[in-house]
Amino acid sequence: MAEDTIPSKDHWLSIGEIAHRSGVAASALRFYEDQGLITSRRTAGNQRQYQRGTLRRIAFVQAAQRVGLALAEIKAALDSLPGDRTPNRADWSRLSRSWRGRLDQRIAELERLRDDLDGCIGCGCLSLQRCNLYNKDDQLAERGPGARILNVGIPGEL
């Protein structure tokens, strides 16, 4: 390898430096790495080092999470980039356009939640048989007696 193609020592950042600069905890960075969202190399002392471009990938992951994407969806988006490269402005623009419908759906769900909230608070009991937020039209009764797992993140989905 030619000497001018070898990255300088400054090109690589330790996990502590990446955590500090990105505002993401080192434990989250290790998790992101386990999920295949970012990659590192190991030093002779087995310490993680990240390329500077990892900061952009982390910012991409955080922005996509704020949109409401699951990590698996974010990984699929990153995997769609050629050569496993760092996302650029054009990549973000292309990918974010594909998420627009999802955002519109979330906005509509939040508006429905807001509109149903007044009636729910009015009942005073959060009835599992009648509650429009947790068990609209007593849908859980179809699954039989006993406790049920409630998906409180998306109204109407059980």
Side-chain angles (χ1 to χ4, degrees):
M1 182 180 284
E3 189 169 312
D4 62 338
T5 61
I6 299 172
S8 70
K9 183 178 178 190
D10 293 333
H11 187 75
W12 294 91
L13 302 170
S14 70
I15 192 168
E17 290 169 317
I18 288 283
H20 176 73
R21 293 190 57 188
S22 68
V24 175
S27 58
L29 295 173
R30 288 188 290 274
F31 179 75
Y32 285 174
E33 192 171 347
D34 289 343
Q35 298 301 305
L37 300 168
I38 60 175
T39 58
S40 69
R41 71 174 184 184
R42 298 296 181 116
T43 66
N46 204 29
Q47 294 176 331
R48 287 179 167 92
Q49 287 188 329
Y50 299 89
Q51 288 186 312
R52 192 172 302 280
T54 302
L55 290 167
R56 182 170 288 200
R57 285 180 78 90
I58 293 167
F60 179 92
V61 170
Q62 290 179 314
Q65 283 182 302
R66 277 186 235 125
V67 169
L69 297 180
L71 289 180
E73 293 170 300
I74 297 168
K75 181 177 180 346
L78 289 169
D79 287 349
S80 74
L81 300 175
D84 200 30
R85 69 172 163 76
T86 300
N88 59 30
R89 184 180 300 248
D91 296 325
W92 177 258
S93 180
R94 177 180 53 83
L95 291 167
S96 65
R97 276 193 306 272
S98 72
W99 300 331
R100 187 173 203 73
R102 179 188 201 96
L103 279 173
D104 290 341
Q105 180 183 6
R106 284 188 62 212
I107 290 167
E109 289 169 352
L110 286 170
E111 287 174 343
R112 279 192 301 276
L113 174 63
R114 179 200 59 212
D115 295 344
D116 288 345
L117 195 57
D118 288 343
C120 183
I121 291 172
C123 81
C125 68
L126 294 176
S127 168
L128 293 181
Q129 293 178 334
R130 297 188 308 263
C131 182
N132 281 332
L133 295 177
Y134 294 115
N135 190 18
K136 190 171 185 80
D137 300 323
D138 198 18
Q139 295 170 355
L140 290 175
E142 297 171 10
R143 297 184 186 175
R148 299 286 173 254
I149 296 175
L150 303 177
N151 184 347
V152 296
I154 303 175
E157 288 191 15
L158 303 171

